[in-house]
Amino acid sequence: MSLTPLFTLSLDETGIVKSILTDNASPAQQQTIKRLMDLGLIENTKVTCVGVSAFGSPKAFLIRGAVLALRKEEASLILVKRIKDGSVL
């Protein structure tokens, strides 16, 4: 199974959260991870990239019916499996 950081999803591309990198995260990153998990960004959650800023960061992601803007540093801590038409690639 090939995993990729959430931030690498292109506009309108969807993935399923498979892992959140907490081992080497700084205290500030751990706090961000906790906040994202509290918002529903947990394992097996479907995530779709719905917007990209002019400079590429942040990107907007549809997560459980809510749109969240995540910077590259935040979204790179989340590993996803890309899916296409509901099928895991």
Short mmCIF file of all heavy atoms in Angstrom, two decimals, residues 4-78:
data_model
loop_
_atom_site.label_atom_id
_atom_site.label_comp_id
_atom_site.label_asym_id
_atom_site.label_seq_id
_atom_site.Cartn_x
_atom_site.Cartn_y
_atom_site.Cartn_z
N THR A 4 0.93 8.57 0.83
CA THR A 4 1.47 9.86 0.43
C THR A 4 1.01 10.92 1.43
O THR A 4 -0.08 10.80 1.99
CB THR A 4 1.02 10.20 -1.01
OG1 THR A 4 1.66 11.39 -1.43
CG2 THR A 4 -0.47 10.34 -1.12
N PRO A 5 1.80 11.96 1.64
CA PRO A 5 1.33 13.03 2.53
C PRO A 5 0.07 13.69 1.98
O PRO A 5 -0.08 13.85 0.76
CB PRO A 5 2.49 14.03 2.54
CG PRO A 5 3.69 13.22 2.17
CD PRO A 5 3.18 12.18 1.20
N LEU A 6 -0.82 14.06 2.86
CA LEU A 6 -2.08 14.70 2.47
C LEU A 6 -1.83 15.90 1.58
O LEU A 6 -2.58 16.15 0.63
CB LEU A 6 -2.85 15.12 3.73
CG LEU A 6 -4.15 15.89 3.53
CD1 LEU A 6 -5.16 15.07 2.75
CD2 LEU A 6 -4.72 16.30 4.87
N PHE A 7 -0.77 16.64 1.85
CA PHE A 7 -0.52 17.86 1.08
C PHE A 7 -0.27 17.60 -0.40
O PHE A 7 -0.42 18.50 -1.22
CB PHE A 7 0.66 18.64 1.68
CG PHE A 7 0.69 20.06 1.22
CD1 PHE A 7 -0.16 20.99 1.78
CD2 PHE A 7 1.52 20.47 0.20
CE1 PHE A 7 -0.18 22.31 1.34
CE2 PHE A 7 1.52 21.78 -0.25
CZ PHE A 7 0.67 22.70 0.33
N THR A 8 0.09 16.37 -0.77
CA THR A 8 0.37 16.08 -2.18
C THR A 8 -0.89 15.86 -3.01
O THR A 8 -0.80 15.76 -4.23
CB THR A 8 1.30 14.86 -2.32
OG1 THR A 8 0.62 13.71 -1.81
CG2 THR A 8 2.62 15.08 -1.61
N LEU A 9 -2.06 15.79 -2.35
CA LEU A 9 -3.30 15.64 -3.12
C LEU A 9 -3.53 16.89 -3.97
O LEU A 9 -3.37 18.01 -3.49
CB LEU A 9 -4.51 15.44 -2.21
CG LEU A 9 -4.59 14.13 -1.41
CD1 LEU A 9 -5.90 14.09 -0.63
CD2 LEU A 9 -4.46 12.92 -2.30
N SER A 10 -3.89 16.68 -5.20
CA SER A 10 -4.21 17.78 -6.11
C SER A 10 -5.67 18.17 -5.95
O SER A 10 -6.46 17.45 -5.34
CB SER A 10 -3.96 17.34 -7.56
OG SER A 10 -2.63 16.95 -7.73
N LEU A 11 -6.04 19.29 -6.55
CA LEU A 11 -7.41 19.77 -6.52
C LEU A 11 -8.36 18.67 -7.00
O LEU A 11 -8.11 18.04 -8.03
CB LEU A 11 -7.54 21.02 -7.39
CG LEU A 11 -8.87 21.76 -7.34
CD1 LEU A 11 -9.14 22.27 -5.92
CD2 LEU A 11 -8.86 22.91 -8.31
N ASP A 12 -9.42 18.44 -6.26
CA ASP A 12 -10.45 17.43 -6.54
C ASP A 12 -9.99 15.99 -6.36
O ASP A 12 -10.71 15.05 -6.69
CB ASP A 12 -11.05 17.60 -7.95
CG ASP A 12 -11.79 18.91 -8.09
OD1 ASP A 12 -12.40 19.35 -7.10
OD2 ASP A 12 -11.76 19.50 -9.19
N GLU A 13 -8.80 15.78 -5.83
CA GLU A 13 -8.31 14.43 -5.56
C GLU A 13 -8.70 14.03 -4.14
O GLU A 13 -8.73 14.86 -3.24
CB GLU A 13 -6.79 14.38 -5.74
CG GLU A 13 -6.24 13.00 -5.82
CD GLU A 13 -4.77 12.98 -6.21
OE1 GLU A 13 -4.08 14.01 -6.10
OE2 GLU A 13 -4.31 11.90 -6.60
N THR A 14 -8.99 12.75 -3.95
CA THR A 14 -9.47 12.24 -2.67
C THR A 14 -8.54 11.17 -2.13
O THR A 14 -7.95 10.41 -2.90
CB THR A 14 -10.89 11.66 -2.83
OG1 THR A 14 -11.75 12.71 -3.28
CG2 THR A 14 -11.43 11.12 -1.52
N GLY A 15 -8.43 11.13 -0.82
CA GLY A 15 -7.64 10.11 -0.15
C GLY A 15 -8.31 9.67 1.13
O GLY A 15 -9.23 10.33 1.62
N ILE A 16 -7.83 8.57 1.67
CA ILE A 16 -8.30 8.04 2.95
C ILE A 16 -7.13 8.13 3.93
O ILE A 16 -6.03 7.64 3.63
CB ILE A 16 -8.76 6.57 2.82
CG1 ILE A 16 -9.88 6.43 1.81
CG2 ILE A 16 -9.15 6.00 4.18
CD1 ILE A 16 -11.19 7.04 2.22
N VAL A 17 -7.35 8.74 5.08
CA VAL A 17 -6.30 8.88 6.08
C VAL A 17 -5.92 7.49 6.58
O VAL A 17 -6.77 6.71 6.99
CB VAL A 17 -6.75 9.76 7.27
CG1 VAL A 17 -5.69 9.79 8.36
CG2 VAL A 17 -7.08 11.16 6.79
N LYS A 18 -4.62 7.19 6.53
CA LYS A 18 -4.13 5.89 6.99
C LYS A 18 -3.18 6.01 8.17
O LYS A 18 -3.02 5.07 8.93
CB LYS A 18 -3.43 5.16 5.83
CG LYS A 18 -4.39 4.73 4.75
CD LYS A 18 -5.40 3.76 5.30
CE LYS A 18 -6.43 3.34 4.30
NZ LYS A 18 -7.48 2.50 4.88
N SER A 19 -2.54 7.17 8.34
CA SER A 19 -1.59 7.33 9.43
C SER A 19 -1.36 8.81 9.71
O SER A 19 -1.45 9.64 8.80
CB SER A 19 -0.26 6.66 9.05
OG SER A 19 0.69 6.81 10.07
N ILE A 20 -1.08 9.11 10.97
CA ILE A 20 -0.72 10.46 11.35
C ILE A 20 0.65 10.38 12.03
O ILE A 20 0.83 9.61 12.97
CB ILE A 20 -1.77 11.09 12.28
CG1 ILE A 20 -3.12 11.16 11.55
CG2 ILE A 20 -1.33 12.47 12.73
CD1 ILE A 20 -4.27 11.63 12.40
N LEU A 21 1.61 11.13 11.50
CA LEU A 21 2.99 11.05 11.98
C LEU A 21 3.16 11.84 13.27
O LEU A 21 3.29 13.06 13.25
CB LEU A 21 3.94 11.58 10.90
CG LEU A 21 3.82 10.90 9.53
CD1 LEU A 21 4.74 11.58 8.53
CD2 LEU A 21 4.16 9.42 9.64
N THR A 22 3.16 11.14 14.37
CA THR A 22 3.29 11.80 15.67
C THR A 22 4.63 11.55 16.34
O THR A 22 5.01 12.28 17.25
CB THR A 22 2.18 11.32 16.63
OG1 THR A 22 2.26 9.90 16.77
CG2 THR A 22 0.81 11.70 16.12
N ASP A 23 5.37 10.54 15.89
CA ASP A 23 6.60 10.14 16.58
C ASP A 23 7.64 11.24 16.68
O ASP A 23 8.19 11.48 17.75
CB ASP A 23 7.23 8.92 15.89
CG ASP A 23 6.36 7.68 16.06
OD1 ASP A 23 5.48 7.68 16.94
OD2 ASP A 23 6.57 6.72 15.31
N ASN A 24 7.95 11.91 15.59
CA ASN A 24 9.00 12.93 15.59
C ASN A 24 8.43 14.35 15.55
O ASN A 24 9.15 15.29 15.23
CB ASN A 24 9.93 12.72 14.39
CG ASN A 24 10.68 11.40 14.49
OD1 ASN A 24 11.07 10.99 15.57
ND2 ASN A 24 10.84 10.73 13.37
N ALA A 25 7.17 14.48 15.90
CA ALA A 25 6.52 15.80 15.85
C ALA A 25 6.98 16.66 17.03
O ALA A 25 7.15 16.17 18.15
CB ALA A 25 5.02 15.64 15.86
N SER A 26 7.16 17.93 16.75
CA SER A 26 7.51 18.88 17.81
C SER A 26 6.28 19.09 18.71
O SER A 26 5.17 18.73 18.33
CB SER A 26 7.93 20.21 17.19
OG SER A 26 6.80 20.84 16.61
N PRO A 27 6.47 19.69 19.89
CA PRO A 27 5.30 19.96 20.74
C PRO A 27 4.22 20.78 20.04
O PRO A 27 3.03 20.51 20.20
CB PRO A 27 5.90 20.72 21.93
CG PRO A 27 7.30 20.20 22.01
CD PRO A 27 7.72 19.99 20.58
N ALA A 28 4.63 21.75 19.24
CA ALA A 28 3.66 22.57 18.51
C ALA A 28 2.92 21.71 17.48
O ALA A 28 1.70 21.84 17.31
CB ALA A 28 4.34 23.74 17.83
N GLN A 29 3.64 20.82 16.79
CA GLN A 29 3.02 19.94 15.81
C GLN A 29 2.07 18.95 16.49
O GLN A 29 1.01 18.65 15.97
CB GLN A 29 4.07 19.20 15.00
CG GLN A 29 4.83 20.08 14.04
CD GLN A 29 5.99 19.34 13.38
OE1 GLN A 29 6.65 18.53 14.01
NE2 GLN A 29 6.22 19.64 12.12
N GLN A 30 2.46 18.47 17.67
CA GLN A 30 1.61 17.54 18.41
C GLN A 30 0.29 18.22 18.80
O GLN A 30 -0.77 17.61 18.75
CB GLN A 30 2.33 17.01 19.64
CG GLN A 30 3.44 16.05 19.28
CD GLN A 30 4.22 15.57 20.49
OE1 GLN A 30 3.97 15.98 21.62
NE2 GLN A 30 5.19 14.71 20.25
N GLN A 31 0.37 19.48 19.16
CA GLN A 31 -0.83 20.24 19.50
C GLN A 31 -1.74 20.39 18.27
O GLN A 31 -2.96 20.25 18.36
CB GLN A 31 -0.46 21.61 20.05
CG GLN A 31 -1.63 22.40 20.56
CD GLN A 31 -1.18 23.71 21.20
OE1 GLN A 31 -0.02 24.10 21.12
NE2 GLN A 31 -2.12 24.40 21.82
N THR A 32 -1.12 20.67 17.12
CA THR A 32 -1.87 20.79 15.87
C THR A 32 -2.52 19.45 15.51
O THR A 32 -3.69 19.40 15.11
CB THR A 32 -0.95 21.25 14.72
OG1 THR A 32 -0.43 22.53 15.05
CG2 THR A 32 -1.68 21.30 13.40
N ILE A 33 -1.78 18.36 15.67
CA ILE A 33 -2.31 17.04 15.37
C ILE A 33 -3.51 16.74 16.25
O ILE A 33 -4.53 16.24 15.79
CB ILE A 33 -1.21 15.97 15.53
CG1 ILE A 33 -0.16 16.11 14.42
CG2 ILE A 33 -1.81 14.56 15.53
CD1 ILE A 33 1.10 15.32 14.65
N LYS A 34 -3.41 17.05 17.52
CA LYS A 34 -4.52 16.82 18.45
C LYS A 34 -5.75 17.61 18.02
O LYS A 34 -6.87 17.10 18.00
CB LYS A 34 -4.14 17.18 19.87
CG LYS A 34 -5.27 16.91 20.86
CD LYS A 34 -4.89 17.26 22.26
CE LYS A 34 -5.98 17.01 23.28
NZ LYS A 34 -7.33 16.97 22.87
N ARG A 35 -5.53 18.87 17.62
CA ARG A 35 -6.64 19.71 17.17
C ARG A 35 -7.30 19.11 15.93
O ARG A 35 -8.53 19.04 15.83
CB ARG A 35 -6.15 21.12 16.87
CG ARG A 35 -7.23 22.07 16.37
CD ARG A 35 -6.69 23.45 16.07
NE ARG A 35 -5.63 23.48 15.08
CZ ARG A 35 -5.82 23.55 13.77
NH1 ARG A 35 -7.02 23.61 13.26
NH2 ARG A 35 -4.78 23.57 12.95
N LEU A 36 -6.49 18.65 14.98
CA LEU A 36 -7.03 18.06 13.75
C LEU A 36 -7.80 16.77 14.06
O LEU A 36 -8.86 16.52 13.47
CB LEU A 36 -5.91 17.78 12.76
CG LEU A 36 -5.22 19.02 12.20
CD1 LEU A 36 -4.02 18.63 11.34
CD2 LEU A 36 -6.18 19.88 11.41
N MET A 37 -7.28 15.98 14.98
CA MET A 37 -7.98 14.75 15.36
C MET A 37 -9.30 15.08 16.05
O MET A 37 -10.31 14.40 15.83
CB MET A 37 -7.08 13.89 16.24
CG MET A 37 -5.90 13.33 15.46
SD MET A 37 -4.72 12.43 16.48
CE MET A 37 -5.64 10.92 16.73
N ASP A 38 -9.30 16.12 16.87
CA ASP A 38 -10.54 16.56 17.53
C ASP A 38 -11.59 17.01 16.50
O ASP A 38 -12.79 16.88 16.74
CB ASP A 38 -10.28 17.70 18.51
CG ASP A 38 -9.54 17.26 19.76
OD1 ASP A 38 -9.48 16.03 20.02
OD2 ASP A 38 -9.01 18.13 20.47
N LEU A 39 -11.12 17.51 15.36
CA LEU A 39 -12.02 17.96 14.30
C LEU A 39 -12.48 16.80 13.40
O LEU A 39 -13.24 17.02 12.46
CB LEU A 39 -11.34 19.04 13.45
CG LEU A 39 -11.11 20.37 14.16
CD1 LEU A 39 -10.22 21.28 13.31
CD2 LEU A 39 -12.43 21.05 14.45
N GLY A 40 -12.02 15.59 13.69
CA GLY A 40 -12.47 14.42 12.94
C GLY A 40 -11.48 13.88 11.94
O GLY A 40 -11.80 12.95 11.20
N LEU A 41 -10.30 14.41 11.89
CA LEU A 41 -9.29 13.92 10.95
C LEU A 41 -8.55 12.76 11.61
O LEU A 41 -7.51 12.92 12.23
CB LEU A 41 -8.31 15.04 10.58
CG LEU A 41 -7.37 14.73 9.42
CD1 LEU A 41 -8.17 14.47 8.15
CD2 LEU A 41 -6.43 15.88 9.19
N ILE A 42 -9.16 11.58 11.50
CA ILE A 42 -8.61 10.37 12.11
C ILE A 42 -8.48 9.30 11.04
O ILE A 42 -8.92 9.48 9.90
CB ILE A 42 -9.50 9.89 13.27
CG1 ILE A 42 -10.92 9.64 12.79
CG2 ILE A 42 -9.49 10.89 14.43
CD1 ILE A 42 -11.83 9.02 13.82
N GLU A 43 -7.90 8.18 11.43
CA GLU A 43 -7.68 7.08 10.50
C GLU A 43 -8.98 6.66 9.83
O GLU A 43 -10.04 6.63 10.46
CB GLU A 43 -7.08 5.89 11.25
CG GLU A 43 -6.45 4.87 10.35
CD GLU A 43 -5.64 3.84 11.11
OE1 GLU A 43 -4.95 4.22 12.07
OE2 GLU A 43 -5.72 2.67 10.73
N ASN A 44 -8.90 6.37 8.54
CA ASN A 44 -10.00 5.93 7.68
C ASN A 44 -11.00 7.03 7.35
O ASN A 44 -12.10 6.76 6.87
CB ASN A 44 -10.72 4.70 8.25
CG ASN A 44 -9.81 3.50 8.26
OD1 ASN A 44 -9.06 3.27 7.31
ND2 ASN A 44 -9.83 2.73 9.33
N THR A 45 -10.62 8.29 7.57
CA THR A 45 -11.46 9.42 7.20
C THR A 45 -11.21 9.78 5.73
O THR A 45 -10.06 9.86 5.30
CB THR A 45 -11.16 10.64 8.08
OG1 THR A 45 -11.42 10.30 9.44
CG2 THR A 45 -12.01 11.83 7.69
N LYS A 46 -12.27 10.00 4.98
CA LYS A 46 -12.16 10.42 3.58
C LYS A 46 -11.89 11.92 3.54
O LYS A 46 -12.54 12.70 4.23
CB LYS A 46 -13.47 10.10 2.86
CG LYS A 46 -13.48 10.43 1.40
CD LYS A 46 -14.82 10.00 0.81
CE LYS A 46 -14.99 10.51 -0.59
NZ LYS A 46 -16.30 10.14 -1.14
N VAL A 47 -10.89 12.32 2.74
CA VAL A 47 -10.48 13.72 2.63
C VAL A 47 -10.35 14.08 1.15
O VAL A 47 -9.72 13.34 0.38
CB VAL A 47 -9.12 13.94 3.33
CG1 VAL A 47 -8.69 15.37 3.22
CG2 VAL A 47 -9.17 13.50 4.77
N THR A 48 -10.94 15.21 0.75
CA THR A 48 -10.85 15.67 -0.63
C THR A 48 -10.26 17.08 -0.66
O THR A 48 -10.69 17.94 0.10
CB THR A 48 -12.25 15.69 -1.29
OG1 THR A 48 -12.81 14.38 -1.23
CG2 THR A 48 -12.16 16.13 -2.75
N CYS A 49 -9.31 17.30 -1.55
CA CYS A 49 -8.74 18.63 -1.74
C CYS A 49 -9.74 19.44 -2.56
O CYS A 49 -10.08 19.07 -3.68
CB CYS A 49 -7.40 18.55 -2.45
SG CYS A 49 -6.63 20.17 -2.70
N VAL A 50 -10.22 20.55 -1.97
CA VAL A 50 -11.24 21.35 -2.65
C VAL A 50 -10.76 22.76 -2.99
O VAL A 50 -11.51 23.53 -3.58
CB VAL A 50 -12.54 21.43 -1.83
CG1 VAL A 50 -13.18 20.05 -1.72
CG2 VAL A 50 -12.30 22.02 -0.45
N GLY A 51 -9.52 23.07 -2.63
CA GLY A 51 -9.00 24.40 -2.94
C GLY A 51 -7.51 24.50 -2.71
O GLY A 51 -6.97 23.86 -1.82
N VAL A 52 -6.87 25.31 -3.55
CA VAL A 52 -5.43 25.53 -3.44
C VAL A 52 -5.19 27.03 -3.55
O VAL A 52 -5.69 27.67 -4.46
CB VAL A 52 -4.66 24.79 -4.56
CG1 VAL A 52 -3.16 25.01 -4.43
CG2 VAL A 52 -4.99 23.29 -4.55
N SER A 53 -4.42 27.57 -2.61
CA SER A 53 -4.14 29.00 -2.67
C SER A 53 -3.21 29.32 -3.84
O SER A 53 -2.59 28.42 -4.42
CB SER A 53 -3.50 29.48 -1.36
OG SER A 53 -2.17 29.02 -1.29
N ALA A 54 -3.10 30.58 -4.17
CA ALA A 54 -2.29 31.01 -5.31
C ALA A 54 -0.83 30.58 -5.18
O ALA A 54 -0.16 30.31 -6.16
CB ALA A 54 -2.37 32.53 -5.45
N PHE A 55 -0.32 30.51 -3.95
CA PHE A 55 1.08 30.13 -3.73
C PHE A 55 1.23 28.66 -3.37
O PHE A 55 2.33 28.22 -3.04
CB PHE A 55 1.70 31.02 -2.66
CG PHE A 55 1.76 32.46 -3.06
CD1 PHE A 55 0.90 33.39 -2.51
CD2 PHE A 55 2.65 32.89 -4.04
CE1 PHE A 55 0.93 34.71 -2.89
CE2 PHE A 55 2.70 34.21 -4.44
CZ PHE A 55 1.84 35.14 -3.86
N GLY A 56 0.15 27.90 -3.38
CA GLY A 56 0.21 26.46 -3.11
C GLY A 56 -0.03 26.07 -1.67
O GLY A 56 -0.29 24.91 -1.38
N SER A 57 0.12 26.98 -0.75
CA SER A 57 -0.13 26.69 0.66
C SER A 57 -0.80 27.91 1.27
O SER A 57 -0.32 29.03 1.07
CB SER A 57 1.19 26.39 1.38
OG SER A 57 0.96 26.11 2.75
N PRO A 58 -1.91 27.72 1.97
CA PRO A 58 -2.54 26.46 2.35
C PRO A 58 -3.40 25.85 1.24
O PRO A 58 -3.64 26.48 0.22
CB PRO A 58 -3.42 26.86 3.54
CG PRO A 58 -3.80 28.27 3.25
CD PRO A 58 -2.61 28.87 2.55
N LYS A 59 -3.84 24.63 1.53
CA LYS A 59 -4.83 23.97 0.69
C LYS A 59 -6.08 23.76 1.54
O LYS A 59 -6.00 23.61 2.76
CB LYS A 59 -4.32 22.61 0.20
CG LYS A 59 -3.23 22.70 -0.85
CD LYS A 59 -2.87 21.32 -1.37
CE LYS A 59 -1.85 21.42 -2.49
NZ LYS A 59 -1.50 20.08 -3.03
N ALA A 60 -7.24 23.72 0.88
CA ALA A 60 -8.50 23.49 1.58
C ALA A 60 -8.92 22.04 1.34
O ALA A 60 -8.85 21.54 0.22
CB ALA A 60 -9.57 24.44 1.07
N PHE A 61 -9.34 21.39 2.42
CA PHE A 61 -9.73 19.98 2.36
C PHE A 61 -11.14 19.81 2.93
O PHE A 61 -11.46 20.40 3.96
CB PHE A 61 -8.75 19.11 3.15
CG PHE A 61 -7.36 19.15 2.61
CD1 PHE A 61 -6.41 20.02 3.13
CD2 PHE A 61 -6.97 18.30 1.58
CE1 PHE A 61 -5.12 20.06 2.65
CE2 PHE A 61 -5.67 18.34 1.08
CZ PHE A 61 -4.75 19.22 1.61
N LEU A 62 -11.95 19.01 2.25
CA LEU A 62 -13.27 18.65 2.74
C LEU A 62 -13.11 17.42 3.62
O LEU A 62 -12.67 16.36 3.16
CB LEU A 62 -14.22 18.36 1.58
CG LEU A 62 -15.64 17.97 1.96
CD1 LEU A 62 -16.34 19.11 2.69
CD2 LEU A 62 -16.42 17.56 0.72
N ILE A 63 -13.46 17.59 4.91
CA ILE A 63 -13.29 16.53 5.90
C ILE A 63 -14.59 16.42 6.69
O ILE A 63 -14.96 17.36 7.40
CB ILE A 63 -12.12 16.84 6.85
CG1 ILE A 63 -10.83 17.04 6.05
CG2 ILE A 63 -11.96 15.75 7.90
CD1 ILE A 63 -9.70 17.66 6.84
N ARG A 64 -15.31 15.31 6.53
CA ARG A 64 -16.55 15.06 7.28
C ARG A 64 -17.54 16.22 7.16
O ARG A 64 -18.14 16.65 8.13
CB ARG A 64 -16.25 14.76 8.74
CG ARG A 64 -15.42 13.52 8.95
CD ARG A 64 -15.20 13.25 10.43
NE ARG A 64 -14.37 12.10 10.60
CZ ARG A 64 -14.83 10.87 10.89
NH1 ARG A 64 -16.11 10.68 11.01
NH2 ARG A 64 -14.00 9.87 11.04
N GLY A 65 -17.66 16.78 5.96
CA GLY A 65 -18.64 17.82 5.70
C GLY A 65 -18.17 19.23 6.02
O GLY A 65 -18.90 20.18 5.79
N ALA A 66 -16.97 19.37 6.56
CA ALA A 66 -16.42 20.69 6.87
C ALA A 66 -15.19 20.94 6.00
O ALA A 66 -14.49 20.00 5.63
CB ALA A 66 -16.03 20.77 8.34
N VAL A 67 -14.96 22.19 5.67
CA VAL A 67 -13.77 22.54 4.89
C VAL A 67 -12.74 23.14 5.83
O VAL A 67 -13.03 24.09 6.56
CB VAL A 67 -14.12 23.54 3.76
CG1 VAL A 67 -12.86 23.98 3.02
CG2 VAL A 67 -15.11 22.91 2.79
N LEU A 68 -11.55 22.56 5.82
CA LEU A 68 -10.44 23.04 6.65
C LEU A 68 -9.28 23.45 5.76
O LEU A 68 -8.94 22.73 4.82
CB LEU A 68 -9.95 21.93 7.60
CG LEU A 68 -10.92 21.39 8.63
CD1 LEU A 68 -10.28 20.24 9.39
CD2 LEU A 68 -11.33 22.48 9.58
N ALA A 69 -8.69 24.58 6.05
CA ALA A 69 -7.49 25.03 5.34
C ALA A 69 -6.29 24.58 6.16
O ALA A 69 -6.19 24.87 7.35
CB ALA A 69 -7.48 26.54 5.17
N LEU A 70 -5.39 23.83 5.52
CA LEU A 70 -4.20 23.33 6.19
C LEU A 70 -2.95 23.79 5.47
O LEU A 70 -2.86 23.72 4.25
CB LEU A 70 -4.22 21.79 6.24
CG LEU A 70 -5.39 21.14 6.95
CD1 LEU A 70 -5.30 19.62 6.83
CD2 LEU A 70 -5.43 21.56 8.40
N ARG A 71 -1.98 24.25 6.25
CA ARG A 71 -0.69 24.61 5.68
C ARG A 71 0.09 23.35 5.34
O ARG A 71 -0.21 22.27 5.84
CB ARG A 71 0.10 25.46 6.68
CG ARG A 71 -0.52 26.82 6.92
CD ARG A 71 0.22 27.55 7.99
NE ARG A 71 -0.03 26.80 9.23
CZ ARG A 71 0.34 27.19 10.42
NH1 ARG A 71 1.01 28.30 10.57
NH2 ARG A 71 0.07 26.48 11.49
N LYS A 72 1.10 23.51 4.52
CA LYS A 72 1.91 22.38 4.09
C LYS A 72 2.50 21.65 5.29
O LYS A 72 2.52 20.42 5.33
CB LYS A 72 3.03 22.86 3.16
CG LYS A 72 3.87 21.74 2.61
CD LYS A 72 4.89 22.25 1.62
CE LYS A 72 5.66 21.08 1.02
NZ LYS A 72 6.61 21.54 0.00
N GLU A 73 2.96 22.39 6.28
CA GLU A 73 3.58 21.78 7.46
C GLU A 73 2.59 20.87 8.20
O GLU A 73 2.96 19.83 8.73
CB GLU A 73 4.10 22.85 8.42
CG GLU A 73 5.19 23.73 7.84
CD GLU A 73 4.65 24.83 6.92
OE1 GLU A 73 3.47 25.25 7.06
OE2 GLU A 73 5.41 25.27 6.05
N GLU A 74 1.34 21.28 8.27
CA GLU A 74 0.31 20.50 8.95
C GLU A 74 -0.10 19.29 8.12
O GLU A 74 -0.14 18.16 8.61
CB GLU A 74 -0.92 21.36 9.23
CG GLU A 74 -0.66 22.54 10.12
CD GLU A 74 -1.75 23.59 10.08
OE1 GLU A 74 -2.52 23.66 9.09
OE2 GLU A 74 -1.83 24.34 11.06
N ALA A 75 -0.41 19.52 6.87
CA ALA A 75 -0.92 18.46 6.00
C ALA A 75 0.14 17.42 5.66
O ALA A 75 -0.20 16.30 5.29
CB ALA A 75 -1.49 19.07 4.72
N SER A 76 1.40 17.75 5.82
CA SER A 76 2.47 16.79 5.54
C SER A 76 2.62 15.76 6.64
O SER A 76 3.30 14.75 6.47
CB SER A 76 3.79 17.52 5.31
OG SER A 76 3.71 18.30 4.14
N LEU A 77 1.99 15.98 7.80
CA LEU A 77 2.05 15.03 8.92
C LEU A 77 1.00 13.92 8.79
O LEU A 77 0.99 12.99 9.58
CB LEU A 77 1.84 15.77 10.24
CG LEU A 77 2.88 16.82 10.62
CD1 LEU A 77 2.43 17.60 11.84
CD2 LEU A 77 4.22 16.14 10.88
N ILE A 78 0.13 14.03 7.80
CA ILE A 78 -0.97 13.09 7.62
C ILE A 78 -0.73 12.29 6.35
O ILE A 78 -0.55 12.86 5.27
CB ILE A 78 -2.31 13.85 7.52
CG1 ILE A 78 -2.50 14.66 8.81
CG2 ILE A 78 -3.46 12.90 7.28
CD1 ILE A 78 -3.36 15.86 8.65
#
